[in-house]
Structure formats: structure tokens, C-alpha cells
Amino acid sequence: LLYSRKQLDAAQKSGDKNLQFNAWQKRGAVGSRLGNIEVLKTANDSMLHYADLLQDLDKQALAYSNIGMYYATALGNFKEAKSYFEKALALNRQSGDKTFLINSLNNLGTACNLLGENERAFKLMEEAYQLKDQTISEAGQEKILNLQTRYQTEKKDARIQLLDAESKVQQRNILVLIIGLLA
């Protein structure tokens, strides 16, 4: 906790809002690991403050998600957690980051499930699964395209090297022919 306090002090002295957000995030993680819910609450609230100042949708969503986790895990208040998870999900839908969106869908789905909203929980989890499957599929297709491009590039490089070697052999043969004619 002492080290995270020093990081936080340094970030505050810098005046950099991104550094301050990150320092509060780290302090919250330390507070969470140590079970210090007061530090965790302060850190989450401060993260939201700096995310709002930065007008960064991803950071705002992360802060709301962390606050939701605080209510769910530290206080066992799943109804309050659900409201923060809903805010995080709305922001993640706006920002378009698929990884954050999947996490938000899972968090909200879990909260709904624990509150007995099984149909909604199922729909949220299904959407998260489909999005994750789509993301994996897109990543696989991108990897295939990269491998194909690399293969084509290596094939062209090998062809260029072969042509270069043939050109050098032809130049040497011409030189030998000229020397032979001169002799």
C-alpha cells in the first residue's frame, strides 16, 4: 500500500490525468488484494473522476465495472452492482472495444443471474459468447491473411534472389566470352 501511495503522489504531482487514473487503478488493485475495502472504494471513485475528466469511454466503463465489482464482491449488493455493470456495458457498446464489451456482458449477466433474472442473464451470456466466437474467428482470419502475405513476400524474395544469381552468372559468362574472343 505504501508503494502505491508513492506512485499516487508522483502522479498527482505530475498533473497528468492519465497517470493519476492509472495510479488510482493500481492502488485499487492493491486495496482489493489486501481486502481493504475503504482503499478500494476511494480508488474506484477516483478512477471514475479522472475518467470523466479525460472523457475516455473505455476508462469510464472500466471505472463503472470496478465499482460494480466492489458492490458485488465487497458488499454483496448485486442490485447496486448491476446498475454499475449496466453503465459500463452502455459505454463499452459506444466505444466498440470487443474485449471490454465481452467482459461487461459477462459481468452484467452474472449479476442478473444472481438476482434471479435468468432469461436476461442467458441473453447477455449468449451475446458475450457469440461476440467472443466472432472475435476469435476474426483473429484467425487475420492470422491466415498475415501468413499468406508473408508466404507471398518470401516467395517473391526467393524469386528475386534467383533472378539476381542468374544475372550474375550471365554477366560472368559474357565476361568469359569477351576474354575468350580477345585472347
Side-chain angles (χ1 to χ4, degrees):
L1 243 143
L2 180 62
Y3 180 69
S4 69
R5 179 76 241 173
K6 288 182 179 182
Q7 281 184 320
L8 185 58
D9 290 342
Q12 288 175 333
K13 286 179 185 175
S14 76
D16 184 325
K17 290 172 182 49
N18 277 308
L19 283 178
Q20 291 170 337
F21 177 89
N22 293 336
W24 278 112
Q25 183 180 11
K26 288 175 186 173
R27 185 154 176 85
V30 170
S32 177
R33 280 194 301 272
L34 297 176
N36 189 330
I37 62 171
E38 298 303 321
V39 168
L40 182 58
K41 172 132 180 54
T42 303
N44 288 338
D45 291 342
S46 296
M47 283 174 59
L48 183 57
H49 170 74
Y50 287 106
D52 287 343
L53 289 176
L54 290 164
Q55 297 180 347
D56 185 317
L57 295 180
D58 289 332
K59 287 182 173 154
Q60 289 171 328
L62 178 60
Y64 281 130
S65 182
N66 282 1
I67 293 170
M69 291 302 282
Y70 164 79
Y71 278 101
T73 58
L75 303 180
N77 185 342
F78 297 106
K79 187 176 180 182
E80 193 67 27
K82 178 185 155 194
S83 70
Y84 284 101
F85 291 148
E86 286 173 334
K87 291 176 184 180
L89 178 60
L91 290 170
N92 283 323
R93 286 193 193 283
Q94 287 179 35
S95 77
D97 186 299
K98 290 181 182 177
T99 303
F100 290 153
L101 183 55
I102 292 167
N103 288 337
S104 285
L105 289 164
N106 284 324
N107 288 342
L108 183 55
T110 301
C112 288
N113 185 45
L114 292 169
L115 290 169
E117 299 174 18
N118 298 328
E119 189 174 325
R120 183 169 184 214
F122 176 77
K123 287 179 181 178
L124 290 163
M125 294 294 193
E126 184 178 39
E127 183 181 351
Y129 176 78
Q130 289 173 350
L131 188 58
K132 186 174 184 179
D133 191 44
Q134 176 189 3
T135 303
I136 291 170
S137 177
E138 288 171 358
Q141 289 173 355
E142 184 178 329
K143 189 172 185 176
I144 289 170
L145 287 173
N146 287 339
L147 288 172
Q148 286 176 334
T149 301
R150 192 167 114 198
Y151 171 75
Q152 293 297 331
T153 302
E154 288 174 0
K155 188 176 171 182
K156 286 178 184 176
D157 287 346
R159 180 75 178 141
I160 289 169
Q161 287 175 351
L162 179 64
L163 291 172
D164 189 39
E166 287 175 356
S167 173
K168 287 179 183 178
V169 168
Q170 285 178 352
Q171 286 175 357
R172 193 179 79 221
N173 288 342
I174 291 172
L175 184 61
V176 169
L177 181 64
I178 290 174
I179 292 174
L181 288 174
L182 288 175

